[in-house]
Amino acid sequence: MNLSDVLTVLTAEEARAAVGAAPISAPERRRHLQFIRHFPDAPFYANTDAYLTSFQEEEEVQLPAWMVTHLRTVAGAYPAEGSLHFRFTSFMPGCTAPLAERLGELWFSVNLLGWPSNRREANALKHAAPNVSLFPIGSERTEDTWQLAINVKARRDTGVYLYDLERVMGNVARGEDVMASVSPVFASLGDLLSRVAAIRHGQTVTEARAG
């Protein structure tokens, strides 16, 4: 695929218009607009229908409708500028997940990682719990076993989860509950975007503007 087959580049004005027209809740709209406001000079991007269809076919996954809407509206910023990573201000209120105290020094990719190539790891995530199937969408830059995921089994669950894949596999080996090593860290992808403190795109770091 060419880059134009994968994504559409948007100005801040076009991104705001896309968010305004998207079939999302008012709180989610505010979160997306806050992300755009924090990075007013950035090029934003949305994924194309052709790419999302192809990706889901290749991964044999059906992404929740809310995820597809998010990716078709504003998926991120600074496309095609080398590796892309986010640093967050915080996790959602009340979250006591591992890494919470270190967020100021950590960088996460946020994209569609897909299922692990290792079958045992993929099965552990796919069958994490009776109503939970964790699909990886990002990882920490230096310790990539720390991953972010969404639940593709409960279609109304918009949360983003954090886990260490090595700990998850340890739970599996001991016959323990996989979810004991999984923490909800963002209420939604809009919540995730609204908490981006800085974006590392290629060799450049752009800090969020206040407001």
Side-chain angles (χ1 to χ4, degrees):
M1 279 189 173
N2 296 321
L3 186 62
S4 61
D5 296 323
V6 174
L7 56 84
T8 301
V9 179
L10 307 168
T11 64
E13 182 177 356
E14 290 169 334
R16 285 192 293 269
V19 171
I24 56 179
S25 68
E28 195 69 352
R29 198 180 315 279
R30 287 194 296 270
R31 292 161 176 161
H32 280 76
L33 291 174
Q34 183 176 351
F35 174 65
I36 298 167
R37 189 165 61 250
H38 285 171
F39 299 93
D41 300 323
F44 299 91
Y45 65 92
N47 290 121
T48 64
D49 289 341
Y51 170 71
L52 292 173
T53 297
S54 173
F55 178 84
Q56 291 179 89
E57 289 175 352
E58 289 178 5
E59 289 294 319
E60 298 182 350
V61 65
Q62 182 180 358
L63 297 174
W66 61 264
M67 176 66 161
V68 173
T69 296
H70 164 81
L71 294 172
R72 292 175 59 191
T73 303
V74 175
Y78 297 104
E81 293 192 24
S83 60
L84 182 64
H85 293 88
F86 293 161
R87 191 177 74 231
F88 300 111
T89 57
S90 64
F91 291 142
M92 63 184 181
C95 177
T96 58
L99 306 187
E101 300 300 320
R102 298 172 51 202
L103 280 184
E105 62 190 66
L106 300 177
W107 293 93
F108 289 83
S109 67
V110 180
N111 49 37
L112 296 173
L113 289 185
W115 300 116
S117 57
N118 181 288
R119 183 175 298 179
R120 289 185 67 252
E121 293 175 349
N123 284 336
L125 297 181
K126 288 179 179 180
H127 308 291
N131 204 34
V132 180
S133 184
L134 296 169
F135 186 77
I137 62 165
S139 63
E140 203 277 316
R141 184 172 67 91
T142 58
E143 300 178 52
D144 61 5
T145 60
W146 283 104
Q147 297 180 348
L148 297 170
I150 61 168
N151 181 7
V152 295
K153 195 167 188 179
R155 314 306 285 181
R156 295 180 182 273
D157 180 0
T158 64
V160 179
Y161 295 85
L162 173 73
Y163 57 84
D164 178 357
L165 190 54
E166 291 182 350
R167 297 186 187 186
V168 165
M169 296 312 295
N171 288 357
V172 171
R174 294 187 295 270
E176 298 171 351
D177 180 9
V178 164
M179 297 304 291
S181 294
V182 178
S183 302
V185 291
F186 299 110
S188 65
L189 284 167
D191 184 35
L192 178 153
L193 290 180
S194 73
R195 298 177 188 277
V196 175
I199 302 175
R200 182 194 294 273
H201 43 108
Q203 301 301 312
T204 303
V205 173
T206 301
E207 302 282 344
R209 291 190 189 178

